[in-house]
Amino acid sequence: MVYKDQIRVIQFGGSRITYRRPVFSADAKYLLCVSGDVIKVYSTSTEECFHVLHGHKGLVTGMGLNPKNPLQLYSCSLDGTVKLWDFMDGVLIKNFLIGLKMFGFYTTPREDSVYVITSNNETSETFQLVSVNLPKSTEQESEAKEVALIFDDISQSPKCTAVGRDGEYIATVKGLCLLVYYLRNKKYFRFSLSATSKKGANNIFTVVTCHPGEDCIATGHKDGKIRLWRKFNCRKEYTYSTLHWHHDTVADLIFSVEGTILFSGGVESVLVQWSYSMEHQQEYLPRLGAAIEHISTSSDGSLHCTSHIDNQITIIDAGLKVSRIIQGLLKGNKVKTGLLFDSRSKSLVLNGKPGHLQFYSLHDDKQLYNLDIVQQEFVNQFGLQYMDLVKAAFSSTGFWLATVEELQGKKKDTVEVLMKLWEFSEELQSFVLNTTVNSPHEDQITSINFQNSCDPEKDVLTLVSTGNDGLFKVWVVRDISDIYRKCRGWSCDFVGSYHRYKATDSCFSEDGSLLAVSFEEIIAIWESSTWHLKHTFCQPPGKIRSICFGKMSSSKYFLASTDNGYICCWDLITCALVWKAQLDADILQPDSLSENIAAFAFVSGKSNLFIFDPADPVPLYVHPDVCQSNVECAVFVPRDVPEMLLSKSHQWLTRSQLYFLLDTQDLMTFSTKSPEERLKPFIKQLELEDISPFTPFCTLLGNKRQQKQDKEPQKTTLDSGKMQDSSEVKELLYTPAHVLPPSSILCTLFVNALLISKQCKCTDKVSKDVEMKSEKEDEDPVEYVHEPTESNDPMSTGFSHTAPFKLNLSQEKKLRRIRKTDFSWVSDL
């Protein structure tokens, strides 16, 4: 397929699925989650993404089931529209044009109106709750301009507003105030708390929820307290009781469907279950992994779920046991390892939880698994020292992994460093720790790289590490077997330096014969077979940021970017400077499947992309204004199937796909497809999807897709339609089982019906005679006047190329006689 569109920057995946509170379907079989500008429908039993609802052109900020049809879903977005979906089929039903940016969405079963949180204007930071009347129209798109103000100056967070008792009232909190509005009599009630108490409590509201059947409002506060408000329809008689377990801010509250249980969660990563009738009786589900952001419960009470700040959704059954985990791209504080590609699992690898590596599937947009590198329990406390993962590298085959850990939160004058080597276990299907090196360098490790093997037949693995101590060390794997077991481990084989300058970066050539190490402003080239220094480069002056060798036909070139705003290219054969370009590039990322190199430069508040071949200083492709923030890291990922691109400037996207990560930790990529074309494979998959299983009878009746028929349209007489018209098939499938003749009688007839004639001796005239006689047989249900066509071919009783198979007279009479036989006595047995 040839694409003619311009290259677009798109957010490929990694969007937060925990941005808003998830919604269960009515039968609790599906979980609907907001993910950027789309809504994803996950199966609660398999964790798989069932549908993706595309259509919004802005960030989706709220959603809710249609109270009148639980198979439909409302959603709102910053694009100013409210959409109604059939989420089971992934179909957009209606699109309502509101014209306002919306930040929250609520529905009530008693009215046709919906409630949304909007901003007063584009520049204002104050928000209001309005009622929007959705018109009843047969058109798919309609305008909804009937808007009524409910609350002014409310919190932007949807958790700070809730609808109570089937739409009788709406409660909202902000700061130290609780506001309640009754929709029928249009009365407001306002309740305030003092900022602090004698015990130093922080009474600021953080979340509100309403009891489904009683006049009770539960509010969470910054000091970890929960208050249950009652009799709030009268300012003088209102009361509240206090519950306290959380030591920090209450992040979310929600009642169960029956109202017998109140759930709460916060930074403790513990789901707390409070009994509504016995308020001081709790049950706990601890160690959920990360701080809780949202809590949801299904309408039948069978499932609950918690959303966490690490982009994880935990599905919990009624017995408070974790049943499923849906994990998206985990977003931490900083991606110190950069973006890595694991060729073995074909996944993207980067920092995950503190001390973990996450393996992220680009195809499914979900996390495959986490690898615990540090193997220590992480405690979320400010100023606490902990070991964190800072470097990682894969071997060319993907069966070896090197990691570096550093002690965080310690003084800079002392550094504690660990380097670990991991080997992939085929039996466990995971990486197993092989070697641990304590203090591999006396200072911080700046880079680690595996050597590309010169001779694939030799099982010799080499790893190079560089450090701020001015050394680069070569590590090799050796056989360390003893009488107890056979094993191999890593040890240091060579130590090199250059005038004790700090070693900042390193890389191997494509064939592994050369090693380049940057020492502040100087680049030194070593020969990997003897570890002899071959040459040094130092032009122009400036500290080296990034270095890389050319690939394939440009493998004789070597490039480096400096902090004074230049990219320099040297010829390794002549050791001469070929060209230099004034470009302040932070990242140089080579493509392993081509000569192309990607360079990202941040200029005037925006990042620009340059694609070039080292053999030519003129860029092959330039994409200005890629994003409005810094690009943290990038990686080329090989495509499963190469694309056919028409433009020469787009050839760099043929074999590989470039992914890059922003400082906001959004995963971005480049695409030549328009949004509509990107949705075509998904829409086509939905159209071809057949819910009914493929049983042998389904195949026999012709419900299976006829792929061979599309490739060979001339063979039209052997399709399943003819098979369906066969009298033997009809007799076998449509005759009740208790009146069928013995299988010994039907077996021969049925097998003959499946045979194909070797030679066709029937003419069109004979075919017409057979059809006319068949019509006569239909008119007379008792007497058979059809005579068999004479043929010397013993296989002529099978399918022919001109007419379907017919029984001869004796067979038809025998079958008719069996059908008339009364077998009703069998039912009495």
Side-chain angles (χ1 to χ4, degrees), residues 9 18 95 110 133 205 215 522 572 590 619 661 689 825 828:
V9 179
T18 60
N95 183 25
R110 297 189 177 185
N133 185 20
F205 290 92
D215 286 342
I522 300 173
L572 295 174
L661 199 69
E689 210 170 38
W825 58 273
D828 297 335

Side-chain angles (χ1 to χ4, degrees), residues 496-563:
S497 64
Y498 187 83
H499 298 291
R500 304 300 294 184
Y501 291 139
K502 292 182 178 180
T504 57
D505 199 2
S506 65
C507 66
F508 279 99
S509 60
E510 186 178 20
D511 60 356
S513 61
L514 297 177
L515 169 67
V517 181
S518 61
F519 296 91
E520 297 183 3
E521 299 180 355
I522 300 173
I523 301 170
I525 307 295
W526 270 269
E527 187 177 3
S528 62
S529 59
T530 60
W531 300 116
H532 289 165
L533 179 63
K534 304 298 294 183
H535 198 78
T536 58
F537 298 118
C538 182
Q539 184 181 353
K543 289 187 177 181
I544 307 300
R545 283 182 177 172
S546 180
I547 59 176
C548 68
F549 283 93
K551 303 292 183 181
M552 303 179 77
S553 63
S554 298
S555 58
K556 68 175 183 176
Y557 297 104
F558 179 79
L559 296 99
S561 63
T562 60
D563 61 356

Side-chain angles (χ1 to χ4, degrees), residues 764-802:
D764 295 339
K765 183 177 181 181
V766 176
S767 300
K768 293 180 180 179
D769 294 337
V770 172
E771 293 177 0
M772 293 177 63
K773 292 178 181 180
S774 299
E775 293 177 358
K776 292 181 180 179
E777 292 172 7
D778 295 337
E779 294 175 359
D780 187 4
V782 179
E783 185 179 359
Y784 285 82
V785 296
H786 173 68
E787 295 181 359
T789 304
E790 295 182 358
S791 177
N792 296 327
D793 192 351
M795 299 294 293
S796 61
T797 57
F799 282 117
S800 67
H801 290 281
T802 56

Side-chain angles (χ1 to χ4, degrees), residues 81 110 305 310 341 392 422 424 431 443 536 538 638 669 717 747:
T81 64
R110 297 189 177 185
C305 78
D310 61 352
F341 179 69
W422 306 75
F424 185 79
F431 284 93
D443 206 336
T536 58
C538 182
T669 187
T717 60
C747 182

Side-chain angles (χ1 to χ4, degrees), residues 592-649:
S592 60
L593 298 182
S594 68
E595 299 85 357
N596 300 323
I597 295 178
F600 286 93
F602 186 74
V603 181
S604 302
K606 59 184 179 181
S607 294
N608 304 317
L609 170 67
F610 299 86
I611 303 294
F612 61 92
D613 186 343
D616 187 359
V618 179
L620 300 174
Y621 176 77
V622 178
H623 195 118
D625 196 11
V626 171
C627 58
Q628 300 297 324
S629 59
N630 274 315
V631 176
E632 293 291 323
C633 46
V635 64
F636 277 98
V637 175
R639 294 184 184 272
D640 295 333
V641 179
E643 289 192 357
M644 297 297 295
L645 300 173
L646 186 63
S647 175
K648 185 178 180 180
S649 61

Side-chain angles (χ1 to χ4, degrees), residues 467-481:
N468 285 332
D469 56 358
L471 302 176
F472 76 90
K473 294 186 178 182
V474 180
W475 309 83
V476 295
V477 60
R478 290 191 174 95
D479 187 8
I480 56 173
S481 301

Side-chain angles (χ1 to χ4, degrees), residues 64-132:
L65 294 179
N66 186 358
K68 298 181 179 179
N69 188 347
L71 298 179
Q72 297 177 354
L73 176 78
Y74 282 109
S75 65
C76 69
S77 170
L78 295 180
D79 60 5
T81 64
V82 172
K83 299 183 185 296
L84 180 63
W85 308 86
D86 183 346
F87 63 86
M88 293 297 297
D89 295 330
V91 177
L92 176 62
I93 301 175
K94 285 190 178 182
N95 183 25
F96 300 97
L97 305 178
I98 310 298
L100 300 172
K101 285 187 176 181
M102 289 166 281
F103 301 89
F105 186 86
Y106 312 91
T107 60
T108 58
R110 297 189 177 185
E111 300 180 6
D112 294 331
S113 300
V114 296
Y115 301 93
V116 296
I117 298 176
T118 66
S119 59
N120 292 337
N121 51 64
E122 295 184 358
T123 60
S124 176
E125 295 183 357
T126 59
F127 302 89
Q128 56 189 9
L129 182 70
V130 298
S131 171
V132 180

